[in-house]
């Protein structure tokens, strides 16, 4: 496949997994024009790279959750509840949605919707509620917003962060909950796809290419998370709206 193509796929996965511009939408676009598909094995390792990055950034919370510390117990319950909508829809309808809706036109329209969500994100007057005042309904609402990202072109991070802000959560909490909520989704999807590795093997990818792709995805994801956290605090999330609109309109009217 070539190291360059693997690195490009790693960069796309790492950046767009957390920057709210839709990783699934960009993957559809990239594979259409570049005619490059890394297959199941590479896809698993690229997602694993993103998983490593978010695990490192939020290691304190994750350790607290695993060790059942009282400080993080409430957060743990909310993550479990918030993961249910995406888990159910993903298991039942992911293949259907990818097959029916993974067309460039649909991706273009979905990117316009993502742009709208990002545009209004900085204009939402939140109640600035901290974790102590977060409710079960907030977790479910954000979980449903995450489930909408099954549509290629709808950003998972964008929809969940905006969902949290819409429910009045503190900006930092909305972002933190969004990233932690991604762990079960990314981890679960990676494990499900990993089962197929035993049947396809390396799928034409060398060990060096897999290592390079994973490392590239991990580094790109790390910086993407850091940048997004800064922009959310500064209420600058809407800057990505213009990119989504430009890309979406280009796909719809020019491609």
């Amino acid at each position: 496949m070539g190291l360059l193509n693997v690195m490009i796929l790693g960069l796309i996965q790492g950046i767009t997994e957390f920057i709210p511009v839709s990783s699934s939408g960009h993957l559809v676009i990239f594979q259409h024009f570049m005619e490059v598909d890394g297959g199941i094995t590479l896809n698993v390792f690229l997602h694993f790279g993103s998983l490593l990055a978010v695990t490192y950034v939020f290691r304190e919370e994750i350790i607290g959750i695993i060790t059942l510390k009282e400080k993080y117990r409430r957060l743990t319950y909310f993550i479990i509840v918030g993961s249910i909508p995406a888990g159910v829809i993903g298991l039942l309808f992911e293949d259907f949605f990818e097959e029916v809706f993974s067309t460039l036109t649909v991706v273009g329209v979905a990117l316009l919707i993502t742009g709208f969500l990002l545009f209004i994100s900085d204009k939402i007057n939140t109640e600035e509620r901290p974790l102590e005042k977060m409710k079960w309904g907030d977790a479910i609402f954000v979980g449903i917003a995450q489930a909408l990202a099954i549509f290629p072109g709808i950003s998972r991070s964008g929809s969940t962060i905006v969902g949290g802000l819409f429910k009045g959560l503190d900006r930092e909490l909305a972002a933190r909950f969004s990233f932690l909520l991604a762990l079960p989704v990314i981890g679960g999807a990676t494990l499900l796809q990993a089962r197929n590795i035993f049947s396809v093997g390396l799928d034409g990818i060398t060990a060096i290419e897999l290592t390079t792709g994973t490392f590239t995805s991990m580094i790109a994801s790390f910086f993407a998370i850091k940048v997004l956290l800064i922009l959310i605090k500064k209420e600058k999330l809407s800057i990505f709206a213009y990119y989504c609109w430009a890309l979406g309109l280009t796909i719809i009217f020019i491609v």
Side-chain angles (χ1 to χ4, degrees):
M1 182 177 184
L3 285 178
L4 180 59
N5 284 333
V6 169
M7 291 179 68
I8 292 174
L9 284 173
L11 284 172
I12 291 175
Q13 163 61 31
I15 293 174
T16 61
E17 182 67 51
F18 299 107
I19 293 295
V21 293
S22 177
S23 60
S24 59
H26 278 73
L27 188 60
V28 171
I29 296 169
F30 181 79
Q31 291 181 347
H32 175 82
F33 289 106
M34 303 298 292
E35 297 183 354
V36 175
D37 186 354
I40 294 174
T41 303
L42 180 59
N43 189 49
V44 168
F45 277 83
L46 293 183
H47 279 81
F48 181 64
S50 294
L51 191 64
L52 289 175
V54 72
T55 300
Y56 177 77
V57 174
F58 295 99
R59 59 192 180 278
E60 180 181 341
E61 288 90 341
I62 294 171
I63 292 174
I65 290 171
I66 293 175
T67 56
L68 301 177
K69 286 186 177 180
E70 186 175 352
K71 177 182 177 181
Y72 297 103
R73 199 163 296 168
R74 186 179 180 86
L75 180 61
T76 303
Y77 297 148
F78 287 143
I79 291 174
I80 293 173
V81 171
S83 300
I84 293 175
V88 172
I89 293 176
L91 287 173
L92 296 178
F93 303 109
E94 183 177 12
D95 292 338
F96 169 78
F97 273 80
E98 286 185 352
E99 180 180 350
V100 176
F101 296 104
S102 292
T103 64
L104 288 181
T105 301
V106 172
V107 170
V109 173
L111 282 170
L112 296 182
I113 296 174
T114 294
F116 172 75
L117 293 175
L118 297 175
F119 184 75
I120 66 174
S121 66
D122 296 336
K123 305 181 185 302
I124 298 175
N125 294 319
T126 70
E127 300 172 28
E128 299 294 328
R129 285 191 288 117
L131 178 61
E132 293 73 22
K133 294 185 178 181
M134 188 173 175
K135 304 173 183 177
W136 293 107
D138 301 329
I140 295 173
F141 186 85
V142 176
I144 293 173
Q146 178 170 251
L148 294 177
I150 195 171
F151 287 94
I154 298 294
S155 167
R156 190 211 63 80
S157 60
S159 60
T160 51
I161 291 173
V162 174
L165 294 176
F166 183 80
K167 291 296 290 182
L169 301 183
D170 172 82
R171 288 186 174 274
E172 184 176 352
L173 173 59
R176 187 158 53 110
F177 187 63
S178 169
F179 287 125
L180 290 173
L181 201 60
L183 284 171
V185 173
I186 299 175
T190 301
L191 286 175
L192 286 174
Q193 289 186 330
R195 297 180 308 173
N196 298 317
I197 293 180
F198 294 102
S199 60
V200 300
L202 292 181
D203 203 18
I205 305 295
T206 66
I208 293 178
E209 289 173 340
L210 287 176
T211 303
T212 300
T214 303
F215 182 76
T216 304
S217 175
M218 180 182 67
I219 297 301
S221 295
F222 174 81
F223 283 105
I225 293 170
K226 290 294 187 179
V227 168
L228 190 59
L229 287 173
I230 293 173
L231 292 175
I232 291 171
K233 288 182 180 179
K234 294 184 177 181
E235 300 184 17
K236 298 292 184 181
L237 200 61
S238 59
I239 64 174
F240 297 109
Y242 303 102
Y243 171 80
C244 290
W245 286 338
L247 182 59
L249 290 173
T250 299
I251 293 173
I252 293 172
F253 294 109
I254 297 179
V255 176

